[in-house]
Amino acid sequence: MSVEPLEKRPVIAGLRALLGKRLSTGATACAHHGKDASYHPAHAPEAVAFPENGEEVRAIVRLCADHGTPMVPFGLGTSLEGHIAALHGGVCIDVSRMNRIVRVNADDMDACVEAGVTRKQLNRHLRDTGLFFPIDPGADATIGGMAATRASGTNAVRYGTMREAVLGLTVILADGRMIRTARRARKSSAGYDLTRLFVGSEGTLGVITEVTLRLHGIPEAMSSAVCAFDNLEGAVNTVIMTIQCGVPVARIELLDRHTMIVVNAYSGLDHTEAPTLFFEFHGSAASVAEQAKAVEEIAAESGGQGFQWAVRQEDRNRLWQARHDAYFATLALRPGAQGFPTDVCVPISRLAECIGETQEDLAASNIVAPLVGHVGDGNFHVIFLIDPENASEVAEAKRLNERLVARAILADGTCTGEHGVGYGKLDFLPMEHGEAVDVMCQIKRSLDPDNLMNPGKVVRI
Amino acid sequence: MSVEPLEKRPVIAGLRALLGKRLSTGATACAHHGKDASYHPAHAPEAVAFPENGEEVRAIVRLCADHGTPMVPFGLGTSLEGHIAALHGGVCIDVSRMNRIVRVNADDMDACVEAGVTRKQLNRHLRDTGLFFPIDPGADATIGGMAATRASGTNAVRYGTMREAVLGLTVILADGRMIRTARRARKSSAGYDLTRLFVGSEGTLGVITEVTLRLHGIPEAMSSAVCAFDNLEGAVNTVIMTIQCGVPVARIELLDRHTMIVVNAYSGLDHTEAPTLFFEFHGSAASVAEQAKAVEEIAAESGGQGFQWAVRQEDRNRLWQARHDAYFATLALRPGAQGFPTDVCVPISRLAECIGETQEDLAASNIVAPLVGHVGDGNFHVIFLIDPENASEVAEAKRLNERLVARAILADGTCTGEHGVGYGKLDFLPMEHGEAVDVMCQIKRSLDPDNLMNPGKVVRI
């Protein structure tokens, strides 16, 4: 595609007049904006717009709508199911320049940020307030992107997901209307819950420009613990008992035996090579000690082989290092390979069975695929290590993924706990939701009749 | 209206054939089903259907839809904003016979119930499991009704509202389709959050037939405390500090000075006649002691006049009696009068100002109206005591209510924290949500194009 005709297209000419150099049609920028952090093939947009405020987003959306041009909102591109692929071409709306922290209401423990603010940026800004924003999906994603994909991460078991964290959104709809979905009250029964409708809508119903977030007080004390188990059932039973006993754990992460071997080798650690749980406790000093003691007793009853507990920051970091290194240790197993991460979530009573069957599947395959999980929520990931150019490897990973998703749905779980649908999991939605998918389509059609907002994602129109 | 012609109407004849005696067209049943627990005038339906399962609800909805007959779902009629008034006639669908507890998954801490199960019924059923369903709106409402109105109550500050409590719903849509909005995973990013869309939709998008709920472990220990304050600001500052310090209180209730005077007189109590906070703490024995100590210190810094703490059940009941008696003590002030309860919710930093201005308004009026609040969430109620036959009293209460709602919305709050919209608060929605109300209307039209599902509530079509 040559640059000349593109620049003459009315929508591009209009965007150029609006944004000047903040519209890019260069091949590099377009390619970069069509690729997420997963193995999904790139689908580059035809142009990338860099608005600096909500009114500019509104003008971009109106221009694109007038010309029937698809729009794909973009935060930092850390999503994992092809959310930002421009499947039908069109314009990428990159909100990364919209990175102002609009307001912090410390008394109310909330903050309003533009969509391009990242979670680490927000937490740096909050440092002196005694407050923090807990949701941690791993990547330093934008808050707008996290809201759009209903992200969560390791501490959702205590602090919830973006579903609970978002108090309200400002959204530009497909026809250019700008709405605010809710005010700052902690609870409301005033009409349909548009906030929750747009959280997780992945840009298919509108572009999120501002997010009002619930914050939390930085806990007085934190402690961590690690415990290896004779077998997976023991680890999972410990999780179930911990949750049932109401221990308000901040994190419970599971690494399977295979991942522990990989991490030990990668980071020179000497953890027991067995299914292992990593815990974090938040609260008062007395409370974290009490929580750790309660969990230690529970673990001992379920075949826990020693319980290492740490309070000082450096000791906690050391304990958690294996968990933090898991992804990179996995990638290092096979230089040049890419990660194909998948994500399911099941009721915790079904977790041991689902993980066990998945491990059997993996053992019978030639694909290397460590397993890690935010098991307090029943959420776990498998990271297939593949060469994306090798069709048979991709096919085998897809086959294993399909079996995993079917297993999770049969266990009354979901095809994605936190990564979202994008187009990578689009075809699993009917299996999970049946006719409810038609209701999603009706809502999509009513708010975006021309199917211009991130088309081809979440629902198939 | 004579019975004969009604019975001959095709929709009634069809329902009669379907339900036999479980369709009532009697004046008493109809009148009862058109009146909620508030001062709103009754609007009786033309018939009341008593389905016994979801398939019967589906058949009723299909019959009504075929004949263009409005439908109003009904739990126990404890709502407060005219939710169940049959404004356009039609058929009331009373789900109270759908009262089976479908399944309890103790390991997963969830339960599935039919819509007509009441919260106390569920808690009696759970008694031996160590689990409970915490949401307590006062009345022993049905779970279906609580989901439909996004109910909450005194312990939402710790356990959340129905928004957080509902894991998934089975809903019959306007065209008779039956959908399940989600499976049992604790978190999911698999498509639009239909669960949250239907929670709080007040029967305007479909009829809820089953609800899957998140349960909680019964805390090992509970304790209660009461503390009077020199002034309202001291009480509210104590609330703000308590929340900010991360004390996981289960309840914080405020009674204003006027209400304390009323309650003392009604129940023969000798509480200090001053703004008073009531607390409840849940956790381990050590944790509740620690929480109470933390709150006592905070209260002392804000003019708390003595802090009474109780651990034993009978002592806790005694402390909380004033709070429990507040509504009836208020009604007893003026025999024959009715309560006109209203409900707003604001960010807690605006609570003292909002309550203060409201009290000034009330002092300048001749309406008696105690004030109580679930202040940990910024939620408070005023109960206007009126004679519903006295037009000038009703008008004065409405004027005060309008001023209160406008004040809450100006403070970035909501016109209803937990009672819902019904038709009583319909006209406040544009002030709160602006153009977002049009989005609600679009959704309503897409799912209920003939406006047959509880018409005239939440949105005006």
Side-chain angles (χ1 to χ4, degrees):
Chain A
M1 191 187 313
S2 71
V3 171
E4 226 90 8
L6 187 66
E7 286 292 333
K8 281 186 184 156
R9 275 176 51 195
V11 64
I12 300 296
L15 291 171
R16 181 69 68 204
L18 177 72
L19 300 167
K21 288 190 175 170
R22 290 188 287 108
L23 182 79
S24 174
T25 54
T28 310
C30 288
H32 165 69
H33 283 81
K35 182 87 182 84
D36 67 16
S38 79
Y39 80 102
H40 290 291
H43 291 268
E46 291 153 279
V48 184
F50 294 91
E52 292 186 339
N53 56 60
E55 281 303 329
E56 281 192 350
V57 174
R58 187 174 187 154
I60 293 165
V61 169
R62 282 191 169 142
L63 265 167
C64 289
D66 286 348
H67 295 92
T69 302
M71 295 159 257
V72 183
F74 186 100
L76 280 172
T78 55
S79 53
L80 296 168
E81 290 295 352
H83 298 74
I84 49 85
L87 299 178
H88 301 269
V91 173
C92 172
I93 303 176
D94 179 322
V95 299
S96 60
R97 291 185 180 215
M98 292 170 54
N99 61 357
R100 280 171 290 265
I101 289 165
V102 179
R103 198 175 43 245
V104 176
N105 294 93
D107 275 354
D108 295 317
M109 300 171 75
D110 65 43
C112 178
V113 302
E114 287 187 321
V117 167
T118 72
R119 64 181 184 87
K120 289 186 182 171
Q121 180 193 346
L122 174 59
N123 277 325
R124 281 194 301 273
H125 185 90
L126 293 173
R127 201 180 293 156
D128 300 329
T129 62
L131 299 171
F132 80 121
F133 172 65
I135 312 226
D136 172 5
D140 186 20
T142 62
I143 302 291
M146 289 171 63
T149 54
R150 204 180 295 130
S152 49
T154 54
N155 53 25
V157 64
R158 167 130 178 187
Y159 297 100
T161 73
M162 289 301 277
R163 182 174 74 192
E164 287 78 32
V166 175
L167 284 173
L169 298 166
T170 302
V171 181
I172 312 293
L173 301 175
D175 57 9
R177 277 177 297 168
M178 179 185 280
I179 61 163
R180 191 174 160 202
T181 60
R183 288 163 178 269
R184 289 198 299 117
R186 277 299 161 110
K187 61 186 203 185
S188 171
S189 292
Y192 305 153
D193 191 345
L194 297 183
T195 304
R196 252 48 62 180
L197 179 63
F198 283 96
V199 169
S201 64
E202 304 185 6
T204 63
L205 301 177
V207 183
I208 294 170
T209 58
E210 279 185 11
V211 186
T212 301
L213 292 166
R214 185 173 181 156
L215 305 174
H216 293 261
I218 295 173
E220 178 195 320
M222 296 190 207
S223 70
S224 299
V226 172
C227 185
F229 288 82
D230 295 338
N231 53 46
L232 194 74
E233 288 68 28
V236 171
N237 284 336
T238 299
V239 174
I240 293 176
M241 286 295 295
T242 300
I243 302 289
Q244 282 203 335
C245 291
V247 181
V249 277
R251 291 186 164 102
I252 313 185
E253 297 285 304
L254 171 72
L255 269 63
D256 71 351
R257 179 171 171 274
H258 183 62
T259 309
M260 292 305 294
I261 294 170
V262 169
V263 166
N264 274 347
Y266 178 78
S267 306
L269 301 172
D270 57 357
H271 284 289
T272 307
E273 292 180 344
T276 302
L277 289 177
F278 292 72
F279 298 92
E280 193 168 278
F281 308 105
H282 293 176
S284 66
S287 164
V288 300
E290 190 184 30
Q291 290 175 50
K293 183 163 171 289
V295 172
E296 182 168 10
E297 286 172 13
I298 292 168
E301 285 170 20
S302 297
Q305 312 167 354
F307 187 87
Q308 297 178 63
W309 186 46
V311 175
R312 289 190 316 160
Q313 171 98 45
E314 56 268 38
D315 297 334
R316 288 193 290 119
N317 290 351
R318 190 181 47 74
L319 277 196
W320 272 83
Q321 190 186 341
R323 174 65 187 92
H324 291 308
D325 289 346
Y327 187 68
F328 297 105
T330 300
L331 288 180
L333 276 181
R334 187 175 163 192
Q338 269 196 297
F340 170 159
T342 189
D343 156 48
V344 297
C345 188
V346 298
I348 52 176
S349 68
R350 311 296 296 272
L351 194 58
E353 153 201 350
C354 267
I355 292 180
E357 288 177 23
T358 304
Q359 287 180 325
E360 284 171 27
D361 247 24
L362 294 172
S365 157
N366 57 354
I367 302 273
V368 173
L371 187 152
V372 297
H374 314 317
V375 282
D377 299 307
N379 187 201
F380 68 95
H381 306 306
V382 171
I383 304 156
F384 304 108
L385 269 191
I386 57 164
D387 169 5
E389 305 300 318
N390 182 328
S392 76
E393 275 191 21
V394 173
E396 173 65 357
K398 283 189 174 173
R399 186 187 69 84
L400 293 166
N401 185 37
E402 278 165 26
R403 285 174 57 83
L404 171 57
V405 165
R407 188 177 298 129
I409 292 175
L410 269 175
D412 225 356
T414 177
C415 69
T416 170
E418 55 182 18
H419 292 175
V421 180
Y423 74 95
K425 286 202 162 153
L426 195 58
D427 289 325
F428 297 127
L429 253 55
M431 195 197 310
E432 179 169 339
H433 292 303
E435 279 193 292
V437 174
D438 301 333
V439 175
M440 296 182 196
C441 291
Q442 284 174 272
I443 292 168
K444 165 76 171 172
R445 282 197 200 95
S446 75
L447 296 181
D448 179 24
D450 299 322
N451 193 23
L452 295 177
M453 309 308 290
N454 206 3
K457 317 295 164 58
V458 186
V459 287
R460 201 184 288 286
I461 298 294
Chain B
M1 189 190 311
S2 71
V3 171
E4 225 90 7
L6 185 67
E7 288 290 332
K8 283 184 184 158
R9 277 176 50 194
V11 65
I12 300 297
L15 291 171
R16 181 69 69 202
L18 177 72
L19 300 167
K21 288 192 176 172
R22 289 189 286 109
L23 181 78
S24 174
T25 54
T28 309
C30 289
H32 166 68
H33 283 81
K35 183 84 182 82
D36 67 16
S38 79
Y39 79 103
H40 288 292
H43 291 267
E46 292 153 277
V48 184
F50 295 91
E52 291 187 339
N53 56 60
E55 282 303 328
E56 280 192 351
V57 173
R58 188 174 187 153
I60 293 165
V61 168
R62 282 191 169 141
L63 265 168
C64 288
D66 286 348
H67 294 93
T69 302
M71 294 158 259
V72 183
F74 186 101
L76 278 173
T78 55
S79 54
L80 294 169
E81 291 294 353
H83 299 74
I84 49 84
L87 299 177
H88 301 270
V91 173
C92 172
I93 303 175
D94 179 322
V95 298
S96 59
R97 291 186 180 215
M98 293 170 55
N99 60 357
R100 280 170 291 264
I101 289 164
V102 179
R103 197 173 45 244
V104 175
N105 294 92
D107 275 354
D108 296 317
M109 299 170 76
D110 65 42
C112 178
V113 302
E114 287 186 322
V117 167
T118 73
R119 63 180 184 88
K120 288 187 182 172
Q121 180 193 348
L122 174 59
N123 277 325
R124 280 193 302 273
H125 185 90
L126 293 172
R127 201 180 293 156
D128 300 328
T129 62
L131 300 170
F132 80 120
F133 172 66
I135 313 230
D136 171 7
D140 185 21
T142 61
I143 302 291
M146 289 172 63
T149 54
R150 204 182 294 129
S152 49
T154 54
N155 53 25
V157 64
R158 168 129 178 190
Y159 297 100
T161 72
M162 288 301 278
R163 182 174 74 193
E164 288 77 32
V166 176
L167 284 174
L169 297 167
T170 302
V171 180
I172 311 293
L173 301 175
D175 57 8
R177 277 177 297 167
M178 180 185 278
I179 61 164
R180 189 172 161 204
T181 60
R183 286 164 180 269
R184 289 198 300 117
R186 277 299 161 111
K187 61 186 203 185
S188 171
S189 291
Y192 305 153
D193 191 346
L194 297 183
T195 304
R196 253 47 62 179
L197 180 62
F198 283 97
V199 169
S201 64
E202 304 185 4
T204 63
L205 301 178
V207 183
I208 295 169
T209 57
E210 278 185 12
V211 186
T212 301
L213 292 166
R214 187 173 179 154
L215 305 174
H216 293 262
I218 295 172
E220 177 194 320
M222 296 189 206
S223 70
S224 300
V226 173
C227 185
F229 288 83
D230 295 338
N231 52 47
L232 194 74
E233 287 68 27
V236 172
N237 284 336
T238 299
V239 174
I240 293 176
M241 287 295 296
T242 299
I243 301 289
Q244 282 203 334
C245 292
V247 181
V249 276
R251 292 187 163 102
I252 312 184
E253 297 285 304
L254 171 71
L255 269 62
D256 72 351
R257 180 171 170 274
H258 184 61
T259 309
M260 292 304 294
I261 293 171
V262 169
V263 166
N264 274 348
Y266 178 76
S267 307
L269 301 172
D270 57 356
H271 284 290
T272 307
E273 292 179 344
T276 301
L277 290 177
F278 292 72
F279 298 91
E280 193 167 277
F281 309 104
H282 293 177
S284 66
S287 165
V288 300
E290 191 184 29
Q291 292 176 48
K293 183 162 171 288
V295 172
E296 181 168 10
E297 285 171 14
I298 292 167
E301 285 170 20
S302 297
Q305 311 167 357
F307 187 88
Q308 297 179 63
W309 187 45
V311 175
R312 289 189 314 162
Q313 171 100 44
E314 56 268 39
D315 297 335
R316 289 194 290 118
N317 290 350
R318 192 181 44 77
L319 278 195
W320 272 84
Q321 191 187 342
R323 174 64 188 93
H324 291 308
D325 289 348
Y327 188 68
F328 296 104
T330 300
L331 289 180
L333 276 180
R334 189 176 162 192
Q338 269 197 294
F340 169 159
T342 188
D343 156 50
V344 297
C345 186
V346 298
I348 52 175
S349 68
R350 310 296 295 273
L351 193 59
E353 154 201 349
C354 267
I355 292 180
E357 289 177 22
T358 303
Q359 287 180 324
E360 283 171 28
D361 247 24
L362 295 172
S365 157
N366 57 353
I367 303 272
V368 174
L371 187 152
V372 297
H374 314 317
V375 283
D377 300 306
N379 187 201
F380 68 94
H381 305 307
V382 172
I383 304 155
F384 304 108
L385 269 190
I386 57 164
D387 169 4
E389 304 299 319
N390 181 329
S392 76
E393 275 191 21
V394 174
E396 173 66 357
K398 284 189 173 173
R399 185 187 70 84
L400 293 166
N401 185 36
E402 278 167 26
R403 284 173 58 84
L404 171 56
V405 165
R407 188 176 298 130
I409 293 175
L410 269 176
D412 226 356
T414 178
C415 70
T416 170
E418 56 181 17
H419 291 175
V421 179
Y423 74 96
K425 286 201 163 154
L426 194 58
D427 289 325
F428 297 126
L429 252 56
M431 194 197 310
E432 179 169 339
H433 293 302
E435 280 193 292
V437 174
D438 301 333
V439 175
M440 296 182 197
C441 291
Q442 284 174 270
I443 292 167
K444 165 75 172 173
R445 281 197 200 93
S446 76
L447 296 182
D448 179 25
D450 299 322
N451 193 24
L452 296 178
M453 308 308 290
N454 207 2
K457 316 296 165 57
V458 186
V459 287
R460 200 185 288 287
I461 299 294

